[in-house]
Amino acid sequence: LKNKKANLYCSTLKRTIQTSQVILSETSDIFTNYVSLKILDEIDAGLRDGYSYKEIEEKFPDEFYDREIDKLNYRYPRGESYMDLIKRIEPMIYEIERSKQPLVIVGHQAMLRCLYGYFADTLLEDIPTMNIPLNTVIKFTPKDSGYVQESIYFDLKTEEFKPIDINVHFNECKNYFIISDI
């Protein structure tokens, strides 16, 4: 990103805004501001927001079972399914693909799974179960056909960035995402 300005996007939720503020304070030569968008929010758990998976399993066993059977299409009561989330983030995908400058997205597990799934050409039914690690930056660079990706892990103990040699594949795709560099 040397000598380039980039766009920084995050959800409207507190933890991504806080992360974006830290990124902005450390990299003001790259980012001048961040844009907080509702479409980048985590999957809406509706009436089950605030419950842990264990609590849902104990208090709402039928719902827990239905979600286990079809995580892609299961919709929380008054909430969203992964399919709803995929449709919600479509405008962001178009924005990423149209962008002429690098952009960074700070997001949440389910939303990042959906974005990652699109850019890594992951099977739709595999998106809800992908492992998206914390403290990892994923860079997607467009090529003639598809995208090339690189992953960098930030080690909190040593405060060092470490390239990741990704040898673990998930249906032919590498399972990491946070930054999209277009």
Side-chain angles (χ1 to χ4, degrees), residues 115-179:
L115 280 177
Y116 178 90
Y118 177 83
F119 289 103
D121 199 23
T122 302
L123 293 172
L124 196 59
E125 58 269 14
D126 293 333
I127 290 173
T129 57
M130 290 189 310
N131 176 32
I132 304 296
L134 296 174
N135 310 317
T136 301
V137 174
I138 292 39
K139 176 182 174 183
F140 281 93
T141 305
K143 296 295 177 197
D144 290 338
S145 176
Y147 295 84
V148 172
Q149 61 182 312
E150 301 169 54
S151 298
I152 302 168
Y153 171 73
F154 181 69
D155 188 324
L156 294 173
K157 291 178 185 171
T158 64
E159 295 188 1
E160 294 176 346
F161 289 99
K162 299 176 179 180
I164 298 175
D165 178 15
I166 305 174
N167 294 313
V168 177
H169 294 273
F170 184 83
N171 290 330
E172 308 294 316
C173 294
K174 300 170 184 118
N175 296 325
Y176 303 86
F177 181 87
I178 265 201
I179 290 193

Side-chain angles (χ1 to χ4, degrees), residues 77-90:
R78 296 193 192 158
E80 290 180 301
S81 68
Y82 267 89
M83 288 303 297
D84 296 328
L85 179 55
I86 289 167
K87 289 175 187 161
R88 173 166 42 99
I89 66 167
E90 277 181 359

Side-chain angles (χ1 to χ4, degrees), residues 42-58:
E42 179 62 296
I43 195 167
D44 183 352
L47 297 176
R48 303 303 168 244
D49 188 36
Y51 286 90
S52 69
Y53 291 122
K54 185 72 175 159
E55 290 172 323
I56 293 172
E57 183 179 17
E58 291 169 358

Side-chain angles (χ1 to χ4, degrees), residues 15-34:
R15 59 191 185 269
T16 64
I17 290 172
Q18 289 172 334
T19 300
S20 296
Q21 289 170 342
V22 169
I23 291 170
L24 193 63
S25 70
E26 297 290 325
T27 57
S28 60
D29 56 326
I30 298 170
F31 302 103
T32 55
N33 198 5
Y34 66 89

Side-chain angles (χ1 to χ4, degrees), residues 4 112 125:
K4 281 188 175 182
L112 291 174
E125 58 269 14

